[in-house]
Amino acid sequence: MNPLYKSKYQLNKITLCLVSALGITTLPTVAEQNSQNELDETAIPSRTATKKVKDEDVEIISIVGSMIKGATITGSLPVSIIDSKDIDAIGATSGSELFASIPSNGTVSFNGNDVVSGVYASRGDVASINLRSIGTGNTLVLLNGRRLVQHPGSQTENSVPVTTVNMNSIPVMGIGAVEVLHDGAAAIYGSDAVAGVVNTQMRKDYSGYRFDMQYGQAENTSREKLNLNALAGWDLNDGMTNVTATANYYYGSEVMASENDRSANSDLRPFIEGTSWQGDSNFRNSSTTTPWGRFDASESVDGLTSSAGRFHVEGADSADSDQQCVLSNGLCVDSGSISSDTQGYNTNSSRTLIPETERINTFVFINHDLGNNTELYSELGYYRAESNSQRGETATLTSAPVTISSSAYWNPLGSGANQLSGYAIPNEGLDVTIDAYRVVDAGTRQINVKNTSYRFLGGARGDIADWSWDTAALYSAAKTIDSTDNRISLSLFQDSVNKQDSSAYNPFCNALCNSQETINGFLIDTSRTGETELGLVDFKVSTPSLFSLPGGDVGLALGAEWRYENFENKYDDRLNGTTTYTDSVTDMTYGSDVMGSSGQPNASGSRNVSSAFIELAGSLISPDMDIPLVDKLDFQLAGRFEQYSDVGSVFKPKVVLSWYPVKSLQIRGSYSEGFRAPNLEQLHTASTTRVNYPTDYYRCQAQINKGELSNLSECSSSDSVSNIRYGNSNLKPENDYNYGLGLVYSPDMIDNLTFTADFWRIEQEDLIGIRSNQNIADLDYYYRLNGSSNSNVVRSEATVDDIAFFSGSGLAAVGDMSEVIGLFENLDSRVTEGLDLSVNYRINDTQFGDFDFKLNAAKLLKAYQSIDEESAKLMELGLALEDVGNLIQMDGRPEWQASSTLSWGYNNWGAGLYGKYVGDFYDTSAVHNDTGEFWHVGSWVTFSLYGQYTYDSGALEGTRVRIGMRNMFDKEPPLADETYGYEASLHDIEGRYLYASLSMSFD
């Protein structure tokens, strides 16, 4: 944070604390008589799609799931509501925190805390949603009933790039209610609505002013957050026009990994001491790429290197008889590679745990009544966020080595003044390749991400007789500029290490001897710019009474839509191949000139989508017909056709039945078909190169054959390998078949109490995937054991060391893996089943006040991904398969998740309690050395609480004071074999967080 901003921020913080303290100290001793409903007059009332407001005998229907305005059917589909009371109890300061409260939401791949991934991944202020745990991109996200633009950037899930709507671009303050449709809805909404629909209703048609200020601090770290919010509305033209505007400002401070015991060290083995995993190598996540350096000479030197010429630098150790402490700076040379146990580097020592984030959200809604049942409406939205963080120091990749020539000044095996004496080094010296080296003296990489998006929508709607119509045009665009300072140019770095005087960079001194002037000579800044666009024009018409059946009216909705989608990713010239790196000694050319990053070409693509839908809904049997065991029977039929300019056309139907045996009991069922079109990155990315570290089981088998290992689970043979993934313009849409069966019970003897239970099943086919780098490497192991090899695994020529390594194993010698190649394809099928449970109960006008209780739980019953012919070959060898077979409780798919809110109001007082449960699961990245079991990640329960008082008279009339606490018991997330020691896509490491807020409302 710059000093000027920091001083202003501290002033804001002090002012807020003083104002809050003033509010608290002036609380009256006796509560004045006033309903708590005044706390938030603008909120959409608490409601569910299945609950009756019995005192009015009116059923309330969520707007999601049907396009028929005024339809009389109720609760045919499972819909849950997050209303204003829930939002208050959750205490969310961002969309990511709010939408994470949905129990059926699985792992959140885009979570804003990812500073480990490189410039190609989506970083900064971004959050995703993943209903049913079937993958990002399978949930359709709407704002006021229409789509939002995709965020410019992707993450990889199962090595496939996925995209998302940025949930943080939706301001929490401006939300009236969030409606979650837990059912496939492609027949109504089109692509992406596989797992369901999340529709956020913003506050509109507001009159008056409201201002909110909130400041909070985490107890165990330096984390602090400030929220400033404003909501204003004006009625103009004698009430014919309304303008509603909302503005939100958010600031969250940076937290370093070193501030938390769990994340401070990448070596997590201390946390498993005293367990059966004690000493297990899985949690040793320190890096063997260190400032000591690992090098390969062009030929071996007796007494200094291995037979293949490998050596490394290390400090003096009197117990190590193999090292030769002969360097001029007193350091030592030892043959072979670095020991990860004793010399591993703590990559978390300089990493950011939670980035610094500053965010602005604004929305303006303008509605104008033209008379004659016709209204014009518009939305104008703007979002801007900036995130700052830092990542560990740059390190070399084995896929882009740097060669130090024999004439380089600091080359200890070279021909210059620093050549080591007493060894059989040729007079002309030897070239030395930097195999693994971390340039610690260059400092950390500074990451700055700027996200912007805007949304323009204009429309008209009205009624003609019994028909309602609605049409709108939407244009929305988003842009991300992801910049990293303090990167290193490979070309400039090689020029520096190959200088023939003492101004050359010296990589043989543990990064402790180089001047800043020398370092500045190869430092560069890099960036990625991503842009996305969404254009949409639609027209819908509906009537609740097209014709009548004995059971009642049947409604109809018809609609057509055209939309345009576009994306473009532009990478730095040193990344996209414009400026390449050529090793001046070997003359080898590499696609990237940035140390630590593989090359990535620019990518862009667009498409047009035309669609039309039809929906019929109504009652087949009504209570007036007096049919035994059928109080009411409703139905819904829908179908949608979509034509894509790039992947063809699809038609998907939907059928829904809702049966009331008696008035208090509803049984509902649905069948629908859906689809998800390939995203534009999957279609148009020419190639993507990443560096991974797959285990080379073929080398492990050689060690087993020689008696050096007892089984494959003890194997740790891995090195950095280029994983090259190719896009595929021939991809087809994924198809799904969605089944639902549920019941709703509202007992007659208890008002405002509702129980729901819904079973669901999603069958997916033609899933877009790519084999993991590990499984591609495993197939090479399988084929080599059977006399052939996997052409998608490229290996270097076997060296003298390799031949010696395989000697006596009975296996043919091979070199290290250098490339693993894969193609995006329509590969697999998956079946997922689950159960959603809820309890809603509201008690009003008791002597103790009003109570509102909600409990929502999601149980995963089945998650099974098919095992194809190639994967079955790996099962024969007993190798772990990634994301195939039974997936329940594997890698962030807990069997149970639940959340609950309890809100209370009495006169001017109010309080809220929120609880969240995340069930246990297994982390497959950690496999026990002896038993082969996966690491068990325990369950996690947190509670949040707030209390408040609202003034209804005097100078502070319309003012609300609130004090709250998130994660009130300071529950630490369970240990996982991840970068920071916990599963960031499901858990939160912020700890106990205390906040105070002040809200003022007036006309």
Side-chain angles (χ1 to χ4, degrees):
M1 188 191 307
N2 66 66
L4 178 60
Y5 176 79
K6 188 171 183 178
S7 63
K8 291 180 178 179
Y9 173 63
Q10 294 292 343
L11 179 60
N12 286 334
K13 181 176 73 172
I14 294 170
T15 302
L16 179 59
C17 290
L18 288 174
V19 172
S20 298
L22 174 63
I24 293 170
T25 55
T26 55
L27 290 176
T29 56
V30 179
E32 300 181 47
Q33 299 299 311
N34 189 42
S35 170
Q36 193 204 0
N37 292 334
E38 189 176 310
L39 298 180
D40 197 348
E41 295 176 340
T42 66
I44 292 179
S46 174
R47 53 181 178 159
T48 70
T50 58
K51 182 186 293 186
K52 295 181 180 180
V53 183
K54 293 190 176 181
D55 54 350
E56 299 177 4
D57 198 23
V58 175
E59 295 179 328
I60 300 174
I61 305 172
S62 168
I63 71 164
V64 295
S66 175
M67 292 290 186
I68 301 174
K69 183 179 179 180
T72 58
I73 61 169
T74 301
S76 298
L77 295 170
V79 177
S80 60
I81 305 293
I82 303 174
D83 62 22
S84 60
K85 293 180 181 179
D86 301 322
I87 294 172
D88 287 343
I90 294 165
T93 57
S94 64
S96 60
E97 294 175 349
L98 176 62
F99 295 104
S101 68
I102 302 172
S104 59
N105 192 24
T107 55
V108 180
S109 297
F110 300 74
N111 54 57
N113 293 340
D114 185 3
V115 300
V116 180
S117 299
V119 67
Y120 303 129
S122 189
R123 304 185 291 195
D125 184 51
V126 58
S128 58
I129 195 163
N130 177 19
L131 293 183
R132 308 300 195 199
S133 295
I134 63 173
T136 304
N138 284 285
T139 302
L140 180 62
V141 180
L142 306 175
L143 181 69
N144 297 325
R146 289 184 171 89
R147 290 175 180 259
L148 287 125
V149 69
Q150 293 288 299
H151 177 71
S154 62
Q155 294 280 16
T156 56
E157 292 181 4
N158 304 329
S159 300
V160 176
V162 294
T163 57
T164 184
V165 166
N166 184 2
M167 308 305 285
N168 280 345
S169 66
I170 302 172
V172 175
M173 167 63 181
I175 293 175
V178 177
E179 300 166 316
V180 184
L181 172 63
H182 302 276
D183 193 66
I188 300 292
Y189 298 104
S191 179
D192 305 336
V194 179
V197 179
V198 175
N199 180 47
T200 301
Q201 288 285 348
M202 301 294 292
R203 296 175 178 177
K204 297 168 291 191
D205 293 316
Y206 179 73
S207 180
Y209 301 89
R210 174 173 171 175
F211 299 96
D212 286 300
M213 298 175 286
Q214 184 184 115
Y215 171 75
Q217 286 186 333
E219 183 176 299
N220 302 315
T221 66
S222 61
R223 180 69 162 170
E224 54 184 356
K225 293 186 279 190
L226 173 68
N227 284 79
L228 302 174
N229 306 295
L231 175 67
W234 302 270
D235 289 325
L236 309 173
N237 298 325
D238 296 325
M240 300 292 287
T241 303
N242 178 267
V243 178
T244 300
T246 178
N248 308 87
Y249 171 82
Y250 165 85
Y251 173 80
S253 65
E254 181 181 35
V255 177
M256 299 301 297
S258 57
E259 296 184 45
N260 185 282
D261 291 341
R262 174 71 59 79
S263 60
N265 199 317
S266 52
D267 188 346
L268 298 169
R269 287 178 295 175
F271 295 101
I272 58 175
E273 291 181 359
T275 73
S276 61
W277 286 69
Q278 182 168 331
D280 195 283
S281 61
N282 283 275
F283 288 84
R284 184 190 59 213
N285 295 330
S286 51
S287 174
T288 55
T289 303
T290 78
W292 291 111
R294 186 178 75 208
F295 309 91
D296 291 324
S298 53
E299 62 182 64
S300 63
V301 177
D302 288 343
L304 284 179
T305 74
S306 69
S307 57
R310 177 160 291 185
F311 68 98
H312 64 273
V313 176
E314 62 186 19
D317 182 359
S318 58
D320 187 351
S321 59
D322 294 328
Q323 64 179 205
Q324 307 295 315
C325 298
V326 290
L327 296 178
S328 58
N329 49 26
L331 298 179
C332 310
V333 175
D334 202 348
S335 63
S337 298
I338 288 171
S339 167
S340 57
D341 269 327
T342 59
Q343 297 168 309
Y345 185 75
N346 176 19
T347 51
N348 286 0
S349 61
S350 53
R351 278 177 173 163
T352 295
L353 177 63
I354 303 175
E356 176 191 57
T357 301
E358 190 174 16
R359 179 193 310 133
I360 296 173
N361 297 84
T362 60
F363 271 93
V364 177
F365 301 96
I366 304 174
N367 299 319
H368 178 67
D369 187 351
L370 292 175
N372 296 318
N373 296 318
T374 304
E375 180 185 35
L376 300 178
Y377 61 95
S378 63
E379 299 176 10
L380 297 91
Y382 177 75
Y383 155 82
R384 182 184 184 279
E386 182 170 357
S387 176
N388 291 290
S389 58
Q390 68 179 44
R391 192 181 175 196
E393 302 84 355
T394 298
T396 61
L397 300 177
T398 54
S399 57
V402 174
T403 305
I404 306 172
S405 72
S406 59
S407 61
Y409 184 82
W410 295 111
N411 185 349
L413 307 185
S415 60
N418 287 291
Q419 184 186 87
L420 299 178
S421 60
Y423 299 92
I425 301 173
N427 290 334
E428 66 275 15
L430 299 174
D431 296 334
V432 172
T433 298
I434 300 177
D435 184 63
Y437 177 68
R438 190 172 297 276
V439 195
V440 173
D441 48 2
T444 57
R445 288 168 281 184
Q446 304 297 311
I447 302 169
N448 175 269
V449 183
K450 295 183 176 71
N451 291 329
T452 57
S453 69
Y454 53 87
R455 176 181 175 96
F456 299 116
L457 182 146
R461 57 194 166 213
D463 298 313
I464 301 176
D466 292 332
W467 292 84
S468 298
W469 58 272
D470 188 347
T471 184
L474 163 70
Y475 178 77
S476 185
K479 183 176 183 178
T480 292
I481 302 176
D482 186 320
S483 305
T484 309
D485 298 345
N486 237 33
R487 298 299 303 267
I488 294 174
S489 162
L490 283 165
S491 300
L492 298 176
F493 182 77
Q494 186 180 49
D495 290 344
S496 184
V497 297
N498 280 322
K499 288 181 179 179
Q500 298 179 19
D501 57 46
S502 60
S503 67
Y505 182 83
N506 183 1
F508 303 101
C509 67
N510 192 27
L512 294 173
C513 63
N514 296 290
S515 69
Q516 191 61 49
E517 181 180 2
T518 296
I519 295 168
N520 289 342
F522 52 73
L523 294 181
I524 58 170
D525 300 334
T526 62
S527 66
R528 172 186 71 87
T529 300
E531 297 183 75
T532 54
E533 294 177 283
L534 171 66
L536 185 148
V537 178
D538 65 8
F539 178 80
K540 295 171 285 189
V541 61
S542 69
T543 176
S545 55
L546 177 67
F547 60 87
S548 294
L549 294 173
D553 293 337
V554 175
L556 170 72
L558 298 169
E561 177 185 283
W562 172 88
R563 69 178 184 269
Y564 167 77
E565 299 171 353
N566 179 66
F567 96 103
E568 184 174 17
N569 276 329
K570 296 180 180 178
Y571 300 100
D572 194 279
D573 284 351
R574 294 181 184 271
L575 293 168
N576 64 19
T578 303
T579 301
T580 58
Y581 159 57
T582 299
D583 190 311
S584 59
V585 178
T586 66
D587 287 330
M588 293 288 293
T589 297
Y590 303 89
S592 170
D593 187 44
V594 180
M595 183 182 290
S597 291
S598 303
Q600 177 80 41
N602 294 340
S604 62
S606 64
R607 65 179 167 213
N608 297 312
V609 185
S610 301
S611 62
F613 77 91
I614 183 171
E615 177 191 358
L616 288 166
S619 295
L620 297 172
I621 299 175
S622 69
D624 296 337
M625 299 172 69
D626 199 23
I627 297 178
L629 297 179
V630 184
D631 183 69
K632 190 176 182 183
L633 183 64
D634 297 331
F635 78 96
Q636 180 189 38
L637 299 173
R640 187 181 184 100
F641 172 82
E642 294 212 352
Q643 173 70 51
Y644 285 77
S645 61
D646 50 5
V647 296
S649 60
V650 295
F651 175 79
K652 298 298 177 182
K654 181 166 188 171
V655 180
V656 180
L657 279 177
S658 170
W659 168 39
Y660 286 83
V662 293
K663 186 176 182 180
S664 60
L665 177 64
Q666 178 191 23
I667 298 173
R668 56 193 180 192
S670 65
Y671 168 79
S672 63
E673 297 180 13
F675 67 101
R676 184 175 68 141
N679 67 52
L680 293 174
E681 286 202 37
Q682 294 166 354
L683 291 167
H684 296 285
T685 298
S687 67
T688 299
T689 302
R690 299 291 182 266
V691 174
N692 300 109
Y693 297 84
T695 300
D696 190 346
Y697 285 113
Y698 185 71
R699 299 182 73 90
C700 299
Q701 188 64 52
Q703 292 177 286
I704 292 173
N705 292 355
K706 293 188 295 183
E708 297 173 2
L709 296 177
S710 59
N711 55 63
L712 291 177
S713 66
E714 296 180 359
C715 181
S716 60
S717 172
S718 62
D719 213 333
S720 61
V721 175
S722 293
N723 182 202
I724 304 173
R725 310 161 195 162
Y726 292 99
N728 186 353
S729 59
N730 295 318
L731 288 171
K732 301 181 298 182
E734 300 175 350
N735 291 289
D736 68 270
Y737 307 90
N738 208 309
Y739 306 83
L741 180 63
L743 62 86
V744 182
Y745 179 56
S746 300
D748 292 328
M749 69 289 296
I750 304 177
D751 290 341
N752 302 318
L753 174 63
T754 302
F755 301 94
T756 70
D758 288 278
F759 167 82
W760 55 269
R761 176 185 172 94
I762 301 174
E763 300 174 359
Q764 296 172 277
E765 296 179 350
D766 301 318
L767 293 175
I768 297 170
I770 190 172
R771 299 193 193 283
S772 70
N773 66 88
Q774 182 63 65
N775 285 168
I776 295 173
D778 294 345
L779 284 170
D780 187 60
Y781 166 50
Y782 174 88
Y783 284 121
R784 287 186 183 276
L785 290 184
N786 289 276
S788 60
S789 63
N790 184 0
S791 60
N792 289 322
V793 175
V794 179
R795 291 181 179 269
S796 59
E797 292 294 325
T799 65
V800 174
D801 272 2
D802 293 326
I803 294 172
F805 178 87
F806 282 94
S807 178
S809 69
L811 301 179
V814 297
D816 289 335
M817 293 182 291
S818 58
E819 292 181 357
V820 171
I821 301 170
L823 175 72
F824 301 140
E825 300 176 84
N826 293 96
L827 285 176
D828 302 321
S829 61
R830 182 193 300 138
V831 176
T832 312
E833 294 178 353
L835 186 66
D836 292 332
L837 304 170
S838 76
V839 179
N840 292 267
Y841 188 37
R842 187 172 66 247
I843 308 176
N844 292 329
D845 302 323
T846 75
Q847 60 177 324
F848 303 107
D850 299 336
F851 297 86
D852 197 337
F853 172 76
K854 291 183 181 180
L855 171 65
N856 293 282
K859 178 177 173 61
L860 198 59
L861 297 172
K862 182 177 183 178
Y864 187 86
Q865 182 130 337
S866 64
I867 300 174
D868 61 5
E869 183 178 346
E870 293 289 273
S871 297
K873 294 173 182 177
L874 302 181
M875 291 188 67
E876 294 177 18
L877 300 176
L879 296 178
L881 299 177
E882 298 185 19
D883 293 297
V884 297
N886 183 14
L887 303 179
I888 289 185
Q889 290 190 296
M890 296 296 169
D891 294 322
R893 295 180 181 88
E895 188 174 1
W896 278 100
Q897 290 198 82
S899 67
S900 180
T901 58
L902 174 62
S903 300
W904 167 77
Y906 181 71
N907 297 327
N908 301 62
W909 296 91
L913 177 68
Y914 166 71
K916 181 179 180 181
Y917 171 81
V918 179
D920 61 323
F921 57 92
Y922 292 92
D923 185 348
T924 62
S925 66
V927 183
H928 197 285
N929 289 344
D930 298 325
T931 66
E933 296 176 349
F934 297 129
W935 173 256
H936 180 249
V937 180
S939 60
W940 192 54
V941 182
T942 58
F943 292 94
S944 300
L945 177 70
Y946 78 86
Q948 65 184 31
Y949 182 85
T950 302
Y951 294 87
D952 63 349
S953 62
L956 295 177
E957 183 179 358
T959 300
R960 184 196 69 198
V961 179
R962 175 183 294 169
I963 296 176
M965 182 187 311
R966 297 188 63 196
N967 194 354
M968 57 190 296
F969 298 114
D970 199 23
K971 190 67 179 294
E972 190 174 46
L975 179 68
D977 182 30
E978 304 298 331
T979 301
Y980 297 121
Y982 77 106
E983 181 51 74
S985 62
L986 275 178
H987 302 139
D988 182 4
I989 204 169
E990 191 172 74
R992 184 183 289 122
Y993 177 80
L994 307 172
Y995 65 91
S997 73
L998 181 69
S999 176
M1000 295 173 287
S1001 299
F1002 50 91
D1003 296 330

